[in-house]
Amino acid sequence: MAWFDWGVLMVAATAAGWVDAVVGGGGLILLPAILITMPQLSPQMALATNKLTAINGTAAAVFTFSRKVAMQWRLMIPAAVLAAVFAGLGAAAVSLIDKALFIPIVMVLLVAIAVFVTMRPTLGTTLVHHQPSPVRVWTTVLVAGGVIGFYDGLLGPGTGTFLIVTFAVMLGTEFVRSAAMAKVINLGSNLGALIFFAATGNVWWTLGLAMAACNVLGAVLGARMALAKGAGFIRIVLLVVVVVMVIRLGWQQFAH
């Protein structure tokens, strides 16, 4: 790799860490950068190296958020463990499933989220004070840890966004707390996928750890900015990132 390519990837890793900490979707920045800079890499190695980078930034974001936001650890820990298991299963299914079949579905879901968030301006701006029912809580655990965790291991784009909206709708949490909780689940799903990829020898450790340092920097800056600017800021960034993700996935699906 040329020094210029290293520089491009370090900048991309920093930007990805910032976006991922705020609303998720950092993989849409870093993964294409890896594939463009090093086209000789297999998709599995690119995805695996991206996971190694992302797990460090996610851990830094969790630490930063948890110092300022009251975390529901009794809910988050089981969901994160579930996400690790199902993300590992998703990673194992990567070579078995045609991703092209999933991309249009993901695009439709992202558009639906954008419309839903736009039509409900109060969503995620205030904390619902009544306690959700146990059934609602454990349904949220299953959706966040199981369904979204599996999706993160299999494909990934929009995982953080799906988690934030799930927590805001199902538990009534404001976007700042939803983003903090999303990072805990994302940490679990990244770990599960990374364990599978490492076991199959697909991780480029030197590059992944170098990018991880930049990703941590971006993640800490993003988490601090989200805490400082609040739900309104996260709402705007979320909508912008969703639009960009839809355009990016549409280009990937239909440009060739």
Side-chain angles (χ1 to χ4, degrees):
M1 282 177 63
W3 285 108
F4 177 78
D5 294 334
W6 279 93
V8 168
L9 290 176
M10 297 309 116
V11 171
T14 305
W18 188 94
V19 171
D20 221 31
V22 179
V23 294
L28 285 177
I29 297 173
L30 187 54
L31 193 56
I34 293 172
L35 292 169
I36 291 169
T37 306
M38 294 175 293
Q40 73 276 15
L41 286 187
S42 67
Q44 287 86 354
M45 180 165 280
L47 186 60
T49 305
N50 176 63
K51 286 295 182 188
L52 173 60
T53 300
I55 196 171
N56 287 276
T58 303
V62 168
F63 177 76
T64 304
F65 274 122
S66 65
R67 295 174 67 191
K68 300 290 184 179
V69 177
M71 305 287 276
Q72 300 181 39
W73 292 113
R74 290 179 64 184
L75 169 64
M76 292 298 97
I77 291 175
V81 172
L82 195 64
V85 173
F86 275 84
L89 294 174
V94 166
S95 61
L96 304 176
I97 298 175
D98 184 2
K99 293 183 187 178
L101 299 175
F102 282 83
I103 290 176
I105 298 173
V106 175
M107 290 174 64
V108 170
L109 289 174
L110 288 170
V111 170
I113 283 176
V115 172
F116 183 73
V117 172
T118 301
M119 297 298 291
R120 293 188 59 180
T122 60
L123 179 70
T125 58
T126 57
L127 176 65
V128 175
H129 292 288
H130 63 78
Q131 290 294 320
S133 68
V135 172
R136 199 175 185 87
V137 168
W138 289 108
T139 300
T140 304
V141 169
L142 291 174
V143 171
V147 178
I148 301 178
F150 181 83
Y151 167 76
D152 191 27
L154 178 69
L155 193 61
T159 296
T161 305
F162 292 142
L163 287 168
I164 288 171
V165 173
T166 295
F167 290 135
V169 172
M170 296 293 292
L171 302 180
T173 53
E174 76 279 18
F175 279 145
V176 174
R177 188 170 301 186
S178 296
M181 294 193 300
K183 289 297 95 189
V184 178
I185 310 304
N186 217 184
L187 182 62
S189 63
N190 281 338
L191 178 61
L194 180 61
I195 288 172
F196 173 82
F197 285 130
T200 53
N202 281 306
V203 181
W204 186 348
W205 294 97
T206 304
L207 176 62
L209 291 173
M211 292 191 297
C214 297
N215 196 254
V216 166
L217 173 62
V220 171
L221 292 175
R224 287 181 177 177
M225 190 171 292
L227 288 167
K229 294 186 176 295
F233 169 73
I234 294 178
R235 177 188 177 85
I236 292 170
V237 176
L238 184 147
L239 289 171
V240 170
V241 169
V242 165
V243 170
V244 172
M245 281 193 287
V246 170
I247 293 171
R248 172 71 179 82
L249 290 171
W251 177 266
Q252 178 181 334
Q253 179 74 3
F254 303 114
H256 53 76

